[in-house]
Amino acid sequence: MKIKEFINEFEKIIPARQAEDFDNVGLLCGNPDREISGVLISHDALEAVVDEAIEKNLNFIFCFHPIIFSGLKSITGKNYVERAVLKALENKIAIYAIHTAFDNDYFGVNYKICEVLGLKNQQILIPKQNQLKKLEVYVPVDSAENLKNALFEAGAGNIGFYDECSFSINGNGTFRPLEGSNPVTGTQNERENANEVLLSVIFEDYKKHQILFAMKQNHPYEEVAYQLISLENENQYTGLGRFGDLETEMDETDFLKFVKEKFNLNIIRHNSLTQKKIKRVGVLGGSGASGIKSAISAKCDAYLTGDVKYHDFFSAEDKMLICDIGHFESEQFVTQQLFEILSEKFTTFAIAKTTIKTNPVNYFI
């Protein structure tokens, strides 16, 4: 299988285009037409990970964090980013990063954290905004089913755990073909009445081009009458962070001990204890201080994330326990998650997890 074929199949499961705008996901380096000899999954594509891929004859590194995040003006090996990329290129190893596309995925990073904590009634903490669009298209009655199926095949009508969702209204349309037209039905310069269906489907914005292409390819009219409508609805199945409820509420101290055990932590940084019970818990893997206000709005009693700064702890204002468990620690399950996804999807070449510890933070206990 070629790299580009692998990416195409994988992104049917987790689309790279659901990543945050600031991010740099997808194929970062490598020839997309090269055949894959094997995949090495890692948290970070460091030089040591590239060395491991060379040793194991695996020419595709599938990582969580993008090793190239901001622009590179040269690749000469003068820093850890350039050394990793240069060695990968010299040894014909491709690097692909998933990062916030997996953070935003319903079954991604934060789903696993909630699963480890045993949270019930889970919801997305920060749902994606301005992501949904509605297509309304007018089509002759006898062509409506074929067009509907084509739109479903292109990815329209998927809403959470449902697909093939649509709405139709029958009506009467009119048109008059003018000089130069080539109508499927009707006569030039004469008004035509047609029994038509107004077909409506909802889809994520990043699917727009493929859906419009499918619509035009499968519509019988020379000129297709349609409109795209941007929806203000939140996408409740895509977004950063999650929150849910513990089976049984806990004292704050017991909750901190529980988290420390579940995540195998040496330390937890937290704000002042308020002696409140912990029932609803919010989580956001990685650098998640930006989710503190959302967690308070969701009435979370505790919030787990990483990279919380000094002043961020004040923002809880005694309404919520903020727990900084560490950036890597909050994402520690990612490699195993990706290994399980890729191993199930791709069975014709080797898929391995790195043995390299890439967490740059160490603790002196």
Side-chain angles (χ1 to χ4, degrees):
M1 176 179 281
K2 293 182 177 180
I3 289 171
K4 64 182 180 183
E5 295 170 338
F6 174 98
I7 293 172
N8 183 60
E9 288 302 310
F10 173 77
E11 291 189 359
K12 291 178 182 178
I13 307 171
I14 303 173
R17 286 170 290 184
Q18 71 184 12
E20 295 297 297
D21 293 338
F22 66 80
D23 208 359
N24 187 33
V25 301
L27 185 63
L28 303 183
C29 69
N31 183 355
D33 288 314
R34 183 166 291 129
E35 291 286 333
I36 295 176
S37 63
V39 178
L40 182 63
I41 303 171
S42 68
H43 206 91
D44 305 276
L46 304 178
E47 185 179 9
V49 175
V50 178
D51 288 333
E52 183 180 14
I54 295 169
E55 180 185 346
K56 295 180 177 178
N57 193 32
L58 307 173
N59 68 347
F60 188 58
I61 295 174
F62 193 102
C63 59
F64 181 62
H65 288 145
I67 185 68
I68 304 173
F69 195 77
S70 54
L72 294 177
K73 294 186 177 181
S74 64
I75 305 178
T76 60
K78 61 180 174 291
N79 56 45
Y80 81 96
V81 172
E82 291 186 16
R83 286 192 294 273
V85 174
L86 185 59
K87 181 168 286 189
L89 291 172
E90 288 175 338
N91 289 275
K92 298 181 178 180
I93 294 173
I95 300 176
Y96 179 98
I98 190 66
H99 203 208
T100 58
F102 199 42
D103 283 320
N104 277 319
D105 195 75
Y106 189 84
F107 293 107
V109 177
N110 300 293
Y111 172 84
K112 184 62 178 181
I113 297 174
C114 289
E115 186 179 63
V116 170
L117 293 172
L119 300 186
K120 310 296 182 183
N121 310 314
Q122 295 181 30
Q123 297 180 52
I124 299 294
L125 181 65
I126 310 173
K128 276 281 193 180
Q129 304 281 341
N130 304 315
Q131 189 195 44
L132 298 176
K133 279 187 165 46
K134 180 168 72 168
L135 169 66
E136 293 185 346
V137 56
Y138 299 86
V139 58
V141 172
D142 57 1
S143 299
E145 193 64 24
N146 178 65
L147 179 60
K148 186 190 300 182
N149 290 334
L151 293 174
F152 290 158
E153 183 67 24
N158 292 356
I159 302 174
F161 295 102
Y162 296 84
D163 64 3
E164 300 190 2
C165 301
S166 69
F167 186 76
S168 302
I169 302 175
N170 286 17
N172 183 263
T174 65
F175 59 90
R176 185 172 67 166
L178 302 177
E179 294 292 335
S181 64
N182 183 27
V184 175
T185 61
T187 304
Q188 285 186 354
N189 298 314
E190 293 185 13
R191 182 187 297 168
E192 175 76 8
N193 287 278
N195 291 323
E196 294 182 329
V197 172
L198 172 57
L199 175 62
S200 300
V201 289
I202 293 176
F203 59 91
E204 295 94 345
D205 181 64
Y206 66 81
K207 298 177 181 177
K208 181 176 72 174
H209 296 298
Q210 67 199 54
I211 287 171
L212 290 181
F213 179 79
M215 178 194 73
K216 293 173 181 178
Q217 288 292 107
N218 292 275
H219 200 290
Y221 284 171
E222 186 177 26
E223 294 289 344
V224 182
Y226 72 96
Q227 58 183 347
L228 286 176
I229 302 169
S230 294
L231 303 179
E232 293 185 1
N233 305 49
E234 294 178 339
N235 189 338
Q236 299 179 40
Y237 297 92
T238 305
L240 294 173
R242 290 175 88 88
F243 66 93
D245 300 321
L246 293 167
E247 189 77 48
T248 305
E249 66 179 17
M250 300 182 185
D251 292 328
E252 288 170 310
T253 302
D254 290 337
F255 176 74
L256 289 170
K257 292 177 181 178
F258 170 73
V259 171
K260 191 174 182 181
E261 178 186 348
K262 288 292 184 180
F263 288 81
N264 192 29
L265 303 174
N266 293 317
I267 189 170
I268 299 175
R269 299 168 63 236
H270 62 85
N271 55 337
S272 299
L273 301 182
T274 62
Q275 308 310 316
K276 295 179 181 178
K277 297 290 187 180
I278 305 297
K279 178 69 173 179
R280 175 163 292 180
V281 181
V283 307
L284 205 170
S287 300
S290 60
I292 290 174
K293 289 184 178 179
S294 296
I296 293 174
S297 296
K299 302 188 182 306
C300 292
D301 304 306
Y303 179 61
L304 270 62
T305 188
D307 295 343
V308 179
K309 296 180 180 179
Y310 178 90
H311 293 285
D312 294 328
F313 284 107
F314 288 119
S315 62
E317 298 189 11
D318 296 326
K319 296 178 182 178
M320 181 178 70
L321 178 65
I322 297 176
C323 305
D324 183 341
I325 66 173
H327 189 122
F328 179 89
E329 288 78 5
S330 67
E331 299 172 341
Q332 64 181 277
F333 309 109
V334 167
T335 301
Q336 180 62 30
Q337 283 179 275
L338 293 174
F339 177 76
E340 291 171 4
I341 292 169
L342 297 183
S343 297
E344 181 177 349
K345 180 70 176 178
F346 304 99
T347 58
T348 57
F349 44 78
I351 296 176
K353 294 183 293 183
T354 184
T355 59
I356 305 297
K357 175 183 177 292
T358 64
N359 183 9
V361 181
N362 294 276
Y363 301 98
F364 182 75
I365 305 299

